[in-house]
Amino acid sequence: IGETGLILPDPSTGDPKRPQFGTRFLTDPRQVFQHNAWDNVEWTEDQEAAAKKKVQENSQPLPPEKQDEYDSRANEYWNDFYTIHENRFFKDRHWLFTEFPELAPQCSQNHESHPADTGDGQQDNLNREQSREVADGDFPGSSATYRILEVGCGVGNTVFPILKTNNDHGLFVYCCDFSSTAVELVKTNPEFDPERCFAFVHDLSDVEANYPVPEGTLDVIVLIFVLSALHPNKMQSSISRLARLLKPGGVMLLRDYGRYDMAQLRFKKGRCLSENFYVRGDGTRVYFFTQDELHELFTEAGLEKVQNLVDRRLQVNRGKQLTMYRVWIQCKYRKAPLELPETQD
């Protein structure tokens, strides 16, 4: 799975600029092999047309019975994946706190506000007080004042950097994965701290399954390259279920595959399950999103847009003189904060 933290806002969306690190722009195509990667690379019309054509050529869906098999055995395929790769699949997500400062809002390196903070301390105190009231009960992290859930945690690529970087004493992190093998790898990692973290097996697509926290108690929910693994028919109900766990002012963070990413264009015939939804050679599945599709999923769940960006990045293999175009989408959507009580003049 490819990842990068270097994203520039799409001027057409009106999303505000944020501080960036290491941005590198390709202004002279003759210099393409001078560096390993270039940021915010615009596609030509011919490039986009060629990508669409390639996708259409390889989009004949597999027979329904074969699709049902991949659906029913999804857990088995992901367990096999983590059994084979184990911690070798761990990646350093150095971009996490630049792009998602909500994961460590108290750290000095972060300049953006708390997701529930409107710039008014009274609003922030109101939301935290409401969190304590709702969370009054016996469950993991019930005494915490800042709660983060990562869905699809894998071997801890996001969880452990959060625990290491965010030293807020009120922090508690929940993490879950469809794969029991992955969750076991998280729990046996020397950096796992049961006093600050709770790891559990969970099927995101099973909306009837319980989470270990009451509704309305989470500050942040993180989905990094995980929603794309679900069957498209189950995405809306899964996001809506997660949205109920957010407290007022809480935020959902997502980073995932965008339409016509290099990974989509590499799929051969016989790997397509449905439109823009594919099965890899190891049996795991992946969907490639557009911004509009994700916007609809989040707003249908009652959340408001904070950010919805496309990251187009050109990666270069200088040894083989190859260029690879990556497309990722990054989103932040928020549950409306509580209204402040009216004050008497």
Side-chain angles (χ1 to χ4, degrees):
I1 295 175
E3 300 157 7
T4 173
L6 306 178
I7 301 178
L8 289 177
D10 182 349
S12 64
T13 65
D15 285 314
K17 282 185 174 290
R18 307 182 319 285
Q20 298 294 321
F21 62 97
T23 48
R24 183 177 285 149
F25 306 107
L26 179 63
T27 54
D28 182 356
R30 293 172 299 180
Q31 303 296 316
V32 66
F33 293 109
Q34 295 299 309
H35 298 287
N36 292 325
W38 301 93
D39 306 310
N40 200 35
V41 177
E42 292 299 324
W43 285 29
T44 65
E45 290 184 11
D46 288 344
Q47 258 183 305
E48 188 137 351
K52 287 180 182 177
K53 185 171 183 289
K54 178 128 182 112
V55 166
Q56 288 169 355
E57 288 173 353
N58 299 330
S59 62
Q60 297 82 2
L62 291 170
E65 60 272 14
K66 195 68 179 172
Q67 297 200 36
D68 291 341
E69 177 188 335
Y70 286 120
D71 197 53
S72 61
R73 296 178 62 191
N75 178 270
E76 178 185 334
Y77 290 128
W78 279 110
N79 276 333
D80 288 346
F81 173 89
Y82 286 111
T83 299
I84 293 167
H85 296 283
E86 293 187 341
N87 286 355
R88 290 189 299 276
F89 199 72
F90 190 93
K91 290 180 178 290
D92 176 16
R93 289 179 169 164
H94 55 275
W95 51 269
L96 270 174
F97 303 100
T98 298
E99 299 303 334
F100 295 145
E102 295 85 354
L103 299 176
Q106 309 303 327
C107 293
S108 58
Q109 71 185 72
N110 298 319
H111 304 293
E112 291 191 7
S113 61
H114 181 291
D117 186 6
T118 60
D120 185 339
Q122 187 181 358
Q123 176 72 70
D124 189 47
N125 291 336
L126 179 67
N127 285 320
R128 283 181 177 254
E129 189 60 40
Q130 192 259 358
S131 173
R132 291 190 186 95
E133 291 173 4
V134 174
D136 186 19
D138 186 18
F139 63 91
S142 58
S143 61
T145 55
Y146 198 77
R147 301 184 190 89
I148 298 173
L149 165 66
E150 186 191 11
V151 182
C153 63
V155 296
N157 295 10
T158 298
V159 170
F160 294 124
I162 292 173
L163 291 172
K164 186 176 181 180
T165 304
N166 189 335
N167 54 13
D168 181 356
H169 295 299
L171 171 73
F172 198 89
V173 180
Y174 308 86
C175 60
C176 64
D177 201 279
F178 191 32
S179 165
S180 56
T181 303
V183 172
E184 193 57 33
L185 285 167
V186 169
K187 288 181 173 180
T188 54
N189 189 304
E191 294 185 36
F192 182 75
D193 181 358
E195 296 297 315
R196 303 179 71 214
C197 184
F198 182 77
F200 59 103
V201 178
H202 189 86
D203 179 0
L204 174 59
S205 67
D206 183 0
V207 295
E208 300 301 320
N210 290 323
Y211 285 89
V213 295
E215 293 184 5
T217 58
L218 296 177
D219 292 273
V220 182
I221 296 175
V222 193
L223 299 137
I224 297 179
F225 296 100
V226 62
L227 189 63
S228 53
L230 264 61
H231 191 288
N233 291 346
K234 298 178 179 179
M235 291 178 183
Q236 184 62 71
S237 58
S238 300
I239 291 294
S240 296
R241 176 73 179 91
L242 285 174
R244 299 209 306 267
L245 299 176
L246 286 174
K247 66 170 67 170
V251 68
M252 202 175 295
L253 310 175
L254 173 139
R255 188 168 174 81
D256 222 320
Y257 296 103
R259 190 70 46 86
Y260 308 136
D261 176 59
M262 175 190 73
Q264 181 177 16
L265 303 184
R266 281 184 169 179
F267 279 108
K268 309 295 185 188
K269 290 181 181 177
R271 310 309 301 178
C272 183
L273 297 171
S274 59
E275 197 171 356
N276 302 301
F277 188 46
Y278 304 82
V279 61
R280 301 184 182 97
D282 60 7
T284 61
R285 300 172 297 174
V286 59
Y287 186 85
F288 296 86
F289 293 99
T290 65
Q291 286 175 283
D292 289 344
E293 286 172 343
L294 287 166
H295 181 72
E296 186 173 342
L297 288 172
F298 287 121
T299 53
E300 187 66 26
L303 305 179
E304 5 176 279
K305 185 181 92 165
V306 176
Q307 181 187 87
N308 186 325
L309 304 172
V310 176
D311 177 5
R312 297 181 186 273
R313 186 172 167 98
L314 173 60
Q315 293 180 336
V316 175
N317 183 322
R318 289 190 276 180
K320 296 182 179 179
Q321 297 282 290
L322 295 175
T323 56
M324 300 162 284
Y325 288 87
R326 305 311 309 262
V327 182
W328 297 299
I329 299 180
Q330 180 170 299
C331 294
K332 300 182 186 184
Y333 281 76
R334 185 178 69 158
K335 181 180 278 190
L338 287 174
E339 292 185 11
L340 288 169
E342 292 185 11
T343 55
Q344 300 272 335
D345 288 334

